[in-house]
Amino acid sequence: MPSTTTTLATLLTNSSSTRVADDQNRSSRLPPITDSISTIHAFISKWDPHSSLSSRFLRATTHLHSYLLHLAASPARSSHSELMRTNSLLQSAMYCLDQELKNHLLSISDAHTLSDTISTVRSIVETMLSTGYGEECLTTYQSIRRSAVTSQLNQLGFDLYINRTRKLRKLKWEDLDHRIHSWIDASQKAVRSVFFHEQQLSEKIFGASPESVRDSVFASIVSDIAGHFFAFPEYVCKRAKRSPERLFRLLDMYEILSDLMPDIESVFASEAASPIRTKIMSALTKLTVSIRTILLEFERAIQKDTKKPQTSTGGRVLPLTRYVMNFLLSLSDYEAPLRVILADMPQESDASSIQSYDSDDRYGSPVSVRISWLLLVLQRKLESKAEKYRDVALSYLSLVNNLHYMAKKVENSILKESLGDEWVAVHMTKVRRYMDGHVRSGWAHVSAALPVKEEEPVERVREFEMVFQKVLKEREGWVVVDPALRNEVRLFVESMLVPAYRAWYQVYRGKMEVRFAPEDIQNRVLGLYEPSRAGSSSSSGSGSVKLLRRLGCYLPQRGDISIRLQIEGAKALPGEFSLRYPISYDPHQRHELSLRYQIDNLTSSK
């Protein structure tokens, strides 16, 4: 079976047959053959790689070929020895031309090279084609230009040899990720500069040949190179598998290929270059499939998350929530490619029923619907996790923190462009509903224990004090992450307890011993839900902490920095420790003193 080069050379030779016939018809008008032979002998005898190529030599070579054809066509009037001498001389001339072609091609970087150099190469090519040396001409041209194109890609940072599939198999993903960056950086210049200029160069040098021939020459040079270059995304798809973290590299590759499609369709527009277009479309298809697969796997990973939330987290934002929201935030940066990728992607039955919260069409785009669905999947998982808390109030608190984090993440990021203002408003309403549920389920029984009647027995007062202290202890590590929301919760709880307790206290504070003043209730409540309260005290205060515990004192956590100053002469209640030494207090806190001062003095008095 003939090689591609041989077949293409035949086409080029056939395309030059008309010019050859014209040369034969003009042979009677050309100088005697002896003049051409002398010219060729003179050039060959003095030729070296640095000698200049004259147009006279090229014309003499063409004339010699015409004379050879004339001898071959009239064997009766020519001797065999003359035919052999003429053919041998023509071969010597072609050797020189082939060397000249190599030298000039090596000096060409791209189609912007000096026009004189390109014009010389074109003259050499046309001479070799018209004299029957098309295969030799193409072999030289293809070899040098393939090396040039490969070298240019290497200079862009993507080495085709080291990035062949068999050499990529042993790479760790971290190393492959570096290669992906190199490929992405090189892609734009590869298409818009390297391949484009190569196509332009073929147009200029083989301009005298038919368009189909010029296209075939270009395709023969870049087909294998472009095939290897655009096969790289397909290999990455195989390595990415179903890992969500690797999705964004696939999206980067899809995006760059999509952006380059107009240039690709222009540079590789010919029928001869259609295999390259097919390879690129195959890469886009496999990237699409891989991206969809990873998105579905990401959804399943949320649904299958079985990690039980710990009570010690105090209702904080869960790692799952942070991970999913950051993932979606990164995903929203790829709005344009995802619109295409997700356009006809099959949806879950529930996802197809999601309605846009806004009348704007962009909020009903495939990207918005997919993100809304993933947020709904996350919310359902959070609700499922919240049910695992034994304390209903903590369940609500977890939903408050996590859903508020989701809503704020959307509101303050590009996600808002996909979901709209109303999505944020709807979910902030849910946050407040959960907050109301937390306060009522967590504090209603405390409110119900308040001593509010005119004649409350001492036991009733002690019951309230015990319930209140128990709640404080249980909720030492509970957190409302957002400062504004934290203040709202505190004020909500305060409004449930303090006014009613103050009214009772003002009437009965002198009739019985009371552990808490209204300010105590208020300050304890206002000290709750602080993130810094969670965790143990520092090691430097461990001795003081143990001492306070042995004394049976209420042990405030970090952030709850004061205790009530005992009124002089008042007796400590059962289980309460009273300070009996000189102290100074912070005038900004009514009846308060620094807990650090207390601890230091207690320690030093030991």
Side-chain angles (χ1 to χ4, degrees), residues 189-400:
K189 289 184 179 180
V191 173
R192 294 175 177 170
S193 179
V194 177
F195 294 132
F196 171 74
H197 288 149
E198 193 61 33
Q199 191 256 351
Q200 293 293 302
L201 188 63
S202 296
E203 290 282 337
K204 290 182 178 181
I205 291 178
F206 292 89
S209 301
E211 182 179 9
S212 60
V213 174
R214 299 196 299 269
D215 293 339
S216 296
V217 172
F218 167 66
S220 70
I221 293 168
V222 302
S223 286
D224 288 345
I225 298 172
H228 287 304
F229 186 82
F230 292 113
F232 183 74
E234 296 186 38
Y235 176 75
V236 174
C237 288
K238 295 178 182 178
R239 287 290 303 273
K241 297 181 180 179
R242 300 185 176 187
S243 174
E245 292 79 8
R246 299 174 183 180
L247 171 68
F248 302 105
R249 288 291 167 264
L250 303 186
L251 283 167
D252 288 334
M253 302 180 88
Y254 183 97
E255 187 171 39
I256 190 67
L257 279 181
S258 297
D259 291 344
L260 289 172
M261 278 311 296
D263 301 276
I264 289 169
E265 291 174 352
S266 174
V267 173
F268 304 110
S270 67
E271 181 64 28
S274 61
I276 301 174
R277 297 197 308 274
T278 300
K279 171 62 75 175
I280 295 170
M281 292 307 300
S282 174
L284 281 171
T285 299
K286 291 185 178 180
L287 284 168
T288 298
V289 171
S290 294
I291 290 168
R292 289 178 174 181
T293 300
I294 290 176
L295 284 174
L296 290 174
E297 188 62 27
F298 179 71
E299 177 185 328
R300 295 189 191 102
I302 299 173
Q303 294 170 333
K304 293 178 181 178
D305 184 87
T306 58
K307 188 174 182 181
K308 185 178 179 180
Q310 300 297 316
T311 303
S312 59
T313 62
R316 284 177 172 79
V317 179
L318 298 175
L320 175 66
T321 307
R322 296 183 186 277
Y323 175 71
V324 172
M325 294 308 299
N326 288 330
F327 181 91
L328 295 180
L329 182 59
S330 298
L331 196 66
S332 64
D333 290 334
Y334 297 89
E335 169 79 19
L338 283 172
R339 278 180 178 268
V340 180
I341 294 169
L342 301 177
D344 56 350
M345 179 179 176
Q347 297 179 343
E348 299 286 344
S349 56
D350 289 348
S352 61
S353 64
I354 292 178
Q355 299 295 323
S356 171
Y357 289 102
D358 199 291
S359 58
D360 195 326
D361 288 343
R362 61 179 170 162
Y363 300 132
S365 71
V367 182
S368 299
V369 171
R370 179 58 52 177
I371 291 177
S372 295
W373 169 245
L374 290 172
L375 287 170
L376 180 58
V377 171
L378 173 60
Q379 186 176 336
R380 289 174 176 174
K381 174 54 64 173
L382 292 174
E383 291 170 352
S384 173
K385 284 179 174 290
E387 292 174 357
K388 294 181 171 63
Y389 288 111
R390 294 182 179 180
D391 194 319
V392 175
L394 186 56
S395 297
Y396 277 119
L397 186 61
S398 176
L399 290 172
V400 167

Side-chain angles (χ1 to χ4, degrees), residues 152-165:
Q152 290 175 58
L153 290 179
N154 291 347
Q155 291 173 14
L156 293 178
F158 191 81
D159 192 313
L160 289 174
Y161 178 74
I162 67 173
N163 285 297
R164 290 179 181 268
T165 301

